[in-house]
Amino acid sequence: MDYGCDRNLYTGPPRDLCPLISDAPFLYDVGTAAKVNTWEGTRTCGKQQISGSELTKWERDSIISAGASYSYPNTGVSSYYCATSPDFSSGQGSFLVAQILARNSAVTCFPGCAGEAVWADSNAIGATESEMQAQCVPNH
């Protein structure tokens, strides 16, 4: 949430998810920033001036948190994204994908869907089903 709310916070390279999404957006649009402010009880998400205490709250409530473990040595983790008109969830997902250390990890982008509707692409459905069937084995 912190990167989505504060346009000046992230200064790294473009969020590269796959060859089809080399610069994934991660900033919230105006409507989503307003929703975050409602959910979080904050007022400055998406504004020019960000409250330091609100930034701290978003950092604590974000999926990526200091001291958290993202190590899954016995688990395969796959991420699926729409390559057409990716929205902020794609870029924000890239921050999580970059943290995960798994038995195997894969990111696949599909051109037959837009935004967050990845399973609108029949290829994504097929890939998900195939991977789940192949990977559904005891790992522990």
Side-chain angles (χ1 to χ4, degrees), residues 54-90:
E54 291 182 359
L55 179 59
T56 299
K57 180 174 180 51
W58 300 323
E59 288 171 343
R60 281 193 322 260
D61 291 349
S62 291
I63 195 165
I64 304 294
S65 300
S69 174
Y70 301 95
S71 179
Y72 309 104
N74 298 315
T75 304
V77 177
S78 295
S79 302
Y80 299 105
Y81 293 93
C82 291
T84 304
S85 303
D87 65 9
F88 62 84
S89 67
S90 301

Side-chain angles (χ1 to χ4, degrees), residues 5-8 37 42-55 58:
C5 286
D6 185 353
R7 70 183 67 257
N8 298 312
N37 281 323
T42 56
R43 296 175 310 173
T44 62
C45 180
K47 306 291 184 189
Q48 290 294 96
Q49 297 286 25
I50 300 296
S51 161
S53 62
E54 291 182 359
L55 179 59
W58 300 323

Side-chain angles (χ1 to χ4, degrees), residues 16-52:
D16 184 10
L17 275 169
C18 64
L20 296 173
I21 306 175
S22 59
D23 190 5
F26 58 87
L27 290 171
Y28 294 131
D29 57 38
V30 173
T32 303
K35 288 178 184 177
V36 169
N37 281 323
T38 299
W39 300 330
E40 290 288 291
T42 56
R43 296 175 310 173
T44 62
C45 180
K47 306 291 184 189
Q48 290 294 96
Q49 297 286 25
I50 300 296
S51 161

